[in-house]
Amino acid sequence: QAQLVESGGGLVQSGGSLRLSCVASGSIDSFADMAWYRQAPGKQREWVATISSGGRANYADSAKGRFTISSDNAKNKMHLQMTSLKSDDTAVYFCYASRPGFYYWGQGTQVTVSS
């Protein structure tokens, strides 16, 4: 049973940057994909970015050009570097990981962007 713990959220001004981290218990080498999702108040959870075990990254249109997803397999970590943050980015950000037959979620970290 894997566990994911996010960190790095906080309050930032519009135009600012934040770096979110997700630490996985156990090796992330066994994960097929890891991803970030977010959920704003009153809205459904939405996908932000995915990184495959081979390092290929994909982004939602809202994240392209501003966010960068990366992983550090040696440290069992995944990161989301967010720049040019906007008020629309305010949400709880969740770490997600999957392996065949299983998927895991972190507890989320709050990101608040003030205008």
Side-chain angles (χ1 to χ4, degrees), residues 73-91:
N73 291 3
K75 296 183 178 179
N76 296 339
K77 285 186 175 181
M78 176 180 65
H79 306 284
L80 185 69
Q81 179 68 48
M82 306 186 293
T83 62
S84 302
L85 285 163
K86 304 179 288 188
S87 56
D88 287 349
D89 297 317
T90 294

Side-chain angles (χ1 to χ4, degrees), residues 2-78:
Q3 288 188 326
L4 306 175
V5 179
E6 303 95 334
S7 62
L11 175 64
V12 63
Q13 288 188 333
S14 180
S17 300
L18 279 177
R19 186 178 190 235
L20 305 184
S21 295
C22 172
V23 178
S25 60
S27 172
I28 66 173
D29 289 346
S30 63
F31 293 134
D33 294 293
M34 296 187 75
W36 289 96
Y37 285 74
R38 68 186 183 185
Q39 187 167 16
K43 295 186 177 181
Q44 290 190 331
R45 191 170 297 188
E46 65 175 5
W47 169 68
V48 176
T50 297
I51 187 163
S52 71
S53 57
R56 175 174 292 183
N58 286 289
Y59 300 92
D61 287 344
S62 60
K64 285 179 182 176
R66 300 188 300 126
F67 295 0
T68 303
I69 190 171
S70 62
S71 64
D72 183 345
N73 291 3
K75 296 183 178 179
N76 296 339
K77 285 186 175 181
M78 176 180 65

